[in-house]
Amino acid sequence: MLTSQRKQLIREKLAAEGQVLSKDLSAHFAVSEDTIRRDLRELAAEGHLQRVHGGALPASSATGTFSARKSLKIDAKQRVARKGVELISDGQVVIIDGGTTTSELVKQLPVDLRITVVTHSPGIALGLIDHPAIEVILIGGRLYKHSIVTVGAAAIESIGNIHADLFFMGVTGIHPEAGLTTGDYEEACIKRAFSGRAAETVVLASPEKINAASPFAIGSLSLINTLVVEEGTDEGWIRSVEEQGVSVVKG
């Protein structure tokens, strides 16, 4: 079998099963694990998968530029965002992460909603200018231009002074085994810090993030309380998430 044929079959197996193990692939194709690891390295370099210990998971497509991600699965993002708004009550302190799905959440907020929003995203803050009853606290720091959010020690220090009711966390991948992941190390640190300062953490998961992984771990699914997904999301996958103590809401 040609290498290109084997790599294509690996991609098909990954798409069908949601993960592949190097040991199993080695036996299936009757080649060494070194050969399989080389195949996985090349496929990862081409953006087709995310390597993890012992194998690979589907790579998240939610790691492109901010402008590219804005138009990715826009209808799905709007649906889960509308459901997310239902979790917010007047008088709460709500942390809103940067990201294209949370940007849709901001667009859905009622004009008369009275809450305090804490964010490290200038874009989220600007999106709330026309909400007269929403107080906005903008966390400062070094601007990470790829995601248009602030990161670094100054941001972490400011986050430590917050006690919030809700945190809407942005992720690029959510997987029952790999947990919550994102494409940048410092962003992962900020997300963990925010989660530690909120009574409840919510993830709005549009389809491209489900059962996918990115290079940097935010943490296990135990970090979150509620996951909002689209109607029609695979029930087996939902059960695997609920088994880890996460409440799943369909939008």
Side-chain angles (χ1 to χ4, degrees):
M1 181 183 292
L2 297 173
T3 300
S4 59
Q5 293 174 315
R6 187 174 60 247
K7 287 165 68 176
Q8 180 58 37
L9 290 172
I10 290 172
R11 290 180 62 187
E12 291 173 4
K13 190 173 181 66
L14 180 60
E17 299 178 9
Q19 64 178 1
V20 291
L21 300 176
S22 301
K23 188 175 182 179
D24 292 346
L25 292 174
S26 173
H28 181 77
F29 292 111
V31 296
S32 70
E33 285 196 53
D34 282 342
T35 297
I36 293 298
R37 281 192 286 268
R38 185 182 66 240
D39 289 345
L40 296 181
R41 278 198 301 270
E42 292 173 358
L43 286 167
E46 295 162 7
H48 298 305
L49 54 80
Q50 175 63 50
R51 294 182 71 202
V52 294
H53 182 72
L57 299 173
S60 173
S61 60
T63 54
T65 64
F66 191 87
S67 57
R69 287 183 285 123
K70 282 177 68 175
S71 58
L72 184 65
K73 304 285 186 181
I74 184 66
D75 291 343
K77 290 175 181 177
Q78 290 171 344
R79 283 190 287 272
V80 297
R82 281 194 290 270
K83 197 67 178 179
V85 169
E86 297 178 11
L87 303 175
I88 303 171
S89 302
D90 273 330
Q92 290 184 322
V93 176
V94 181
I95 302 169
I96 302 182
D97 204 348
T100 55
T101 308
T102 49
S103 293
E104 293 300 325
L105 175 76
V106 166
K107 293 176 185 177
Q108 306 287 343
L109 295 176
V111 175
D112 61 348
L113 183 65
R114 292 183 174 276
I115 60 173
T116 297
V117 168
V118 180
T119 185
H120 67 322
S121 165
I124 295 293
L126 288 172
L128 293 168
I129 285 176
D130 294 327
H131 286 72
I134 295 181
E135 182 179 353
V136 180
I137 298 172
L138 183 58
I139 300 292
R142 181 179 65 82
L143 183 65
Y144 176 51
K145 295 180 181 179
H146 177 272
S147 299
I148 319 179
V149 294
T150 58
V151 296
I156 294 286
E157 183 179 358
S158 297
I159 291 167
N161 296 318
I162 298 164
H163 291 286
D165 298 286
L166 289 176
F167 168 39
F168 285 92
M169 177 193 286
V171 303
T172 56
I174 178 167
H175 189 281
E177 294 178 19
L180 310 163
T181 54
T182 192
D184 180 77
Y185 174 78
E186 285 198 277
E187 271 198 292
C189 295
I190 292 286
K191 294 173 192 294
R192 281 195 299 274
F194 272 137
S195 184
R197 306 307 299 175
E200 181 178 354
T201 297
V202 180
V203 167
L204 307 176
S206 46
E208 75 279 8
K209 302 169 185 177
I210 289 175
N211 222 32
S214 293
F216 298 98
I218 302 164
S220 68
L221 296 188
S222 63
L223 273 184
I224 66 175
N225 304 91
T226 305
L227 175 67
V228 183
V229 299
E230 269 198 301
E231 288 282 358
T233 299
D234 181 75
E235 289 294 335
W237 186 86
I238 289 175
R239 283 195 297 274
S240 68
V241 171
E242 289 177 329
E243 287 170 359
Q244 298 192 46
V246 179
S247 174
V248 179
V249 177
K250 298 175 185 177

